[in-house]
Amino acid sequence: MNLVRHGFAPVPGRREADIAGVLTIDRASSELRRLDFSFVNTPTMDVVGVPGGEMLFRRLPEGSWLIEQWAIWLP
C-alpha cells in the first residue's frame, strides 16, 4: 500500500491547548486511513508518555466513512 502522510500543528506562537498530528492517506484511492495526534500546549505533568490518540478509518461500499477503531491516551 502506497501511503502519504501529512503532518499538522498549531500556528507558531499559539499558546492555547491544541492538537498536532499526522493524517495518513492512501495514495492510490485518496482515502483517509489513519489520524495520529498528540495534545500540545498543555500544562506540564510528571507522566510517562505523551497525551494523544489515534483513529483508524474505513470507507463503506456506498461511500460513507466510519471510525473503525480509536484510542485516546490521557495522563
Side-chain angles (χ1 to χ4, degrees):
M1 187 180 302
N2 194 1
L3 302 174
V4 174
R5 294 174 48 91
H6 181 77
F8 62 92
V11 174
R14 181 174 168 94
R15 295 178 191 260
E16 292 82 12
D18 211 330
I19 62 170
V22 177
L23 291 167
T24 302
I25 301 166
D26 184 313
R27 184 184 300 266
S29 65
S30 299
E31 293 179 348
L32 179 60
R33 295 291 182 204
R34 182 182 184 108
L35 168 64
D36 295 283
F37 64 92
S38 60
F39 296 100
V40 295
N41 300 331
T42 56
T44 303
M45 293 183 234
D46 213 8
V47 297
V48 175
V50 177
E54 67 182 10
M55 293 181 193
L56 303 177
F57 299 91
R58 183 164 51 112
R59 188 172 185 179
L60 299 176
E62 82 280 356
S64 63
W65 289 88
L66 62 81
I67 298 172
E68 186 171 43
Q69 183 178 354
W70 62 273
I72 296 177
W73 300 282
L74 297 172

